Amino acid sequence: MKKTLFLLLAAITFMACNQKEATIFTLNGSVEGYNTSALYLFEVQNQHYDFIKLVDTIPVTNDKISYSNDSLETQLYFLSTQADLYNPETHEQGAYVFLRKGDHDLKVIKNDQKKMQVEVKNFPLQAQFIEFTKEKENIGNRKVLDSLDQLFYA
């Protein structure tokens, strides 16, 4: 009886340990509208105050990216064509992106407003984040708020 219980417990433990969980970030995709040889991956430490820390460089070859890293965690990152944190263009020429361990199919494009946009296929959290950001920008649009102030308080 003890032997059977021990074998059953060992089998359950083995099966539980055998489940594969992604441990590596893999980014594959394309870069459109930018003439760059690299993208820079920043860890977002505080999005509200734009505190970011350079983590790695992603090479761009023939407008394609292929990148792997086993030390990154699932969180919000910032991609940019500029590496200099003190250059305002670093923030202007970049975009926030949620990444998790596993495979990602990215499409980095320059949108109509000449800003970077990152599309991540099969990752609904990134799509929700983009919608949230659009709504946040609309709410915080100073021109709209100033014009409403003029209508109501002038």
Side-chain angles (χ1 to χ4, degrees):
M1 180 69 174
K2 286 183 182 181
K3 201 181 237 185
T4 306
L5 185 60
F6 176 74
L7 288 174
L8 183 62
L9 184 61
I12 291 172
T13 304
F14 178 73
M15 288 188 320
C17 293
N18 208 15
Q19 293 177 351
K20 293 185 179 181
E21 184 178 316
T23 58
I24 296 177
F25 273 81
T26 304
L27 306 177
N28 294 303
S30 62
V31 178
E32 298 174 11
Y34 291 98
N35 186 17
T36 185
S37 61
L39 291 175
Y40 299 95
L41 183 66
F42 295 86
E43 176 184 301
V44 176
Q45 296 177 332
N46 187 320
Q47 181 190 6
H48 182 73
Y49 294 110
D50 284 335
F51 291 155
I52 56 177
K53 179 177 104 178
L54 184 61
V55 174
D56 213 346
T57 303
I58 301 171
V60 177
T61 307
N62 297 327
D63 296 330
K64 301 284 183 204
I65 58 173
S66 182
Y67 170 80
S68 294
N69 189 312
D70 63 353
S71 64
L72 298 177
E73 294 297 321
T74 301
Q75 70 176 55
L76 183 63
Y77 289 92
F78 186 78
L79 278 176
S80 180
T81 57
Q82 306 287 322
D84 183 8
L85 287 174
Y86 302 106
N87 182 348
E89 286 188 20
T90 300
H91 296 278
E92 293 171 7
Q93 294 297 324
Y96 290 99
V97 59
F98 271 101
L99 298 175
R100 65 172 185 249
K101 292 187 182 220
D103 295 335
H104 299 282
D105 188 10
L106 298 180
K107 186 175 185 181
V108 179
I109 59 172
K110 188 183 285 189
N111 66 16
D112 296 338
Q113 291 83 28
K114 306 287 185 214
K115 293 191 176 193
M116 182 182 284
Q117 183 176 334
V118 180
E119 297 173 2
V120 183
K121 291 184 182 174
N122 300 323
F123 193 31
L125 187 58
Q126 178 64 16
Q128 290 174 347
F129 179 73
I130 290 171
E131 287 302 314
F132 168 75
T133 304
K134 286 179 186 176
E135 290 299 320
K136 188 174 120 181
E137 286 175 2
N138 288 340
I139 291 169
N141 188 341
R142 275 313 307 162
K143 290 179 183 176
V144 172
L145 293 176
D146 287 345
S147 66
L148 289 174
D149 285 346
Q150 289 176 0
L151 285 173
F152 290 106
Y153 300 112

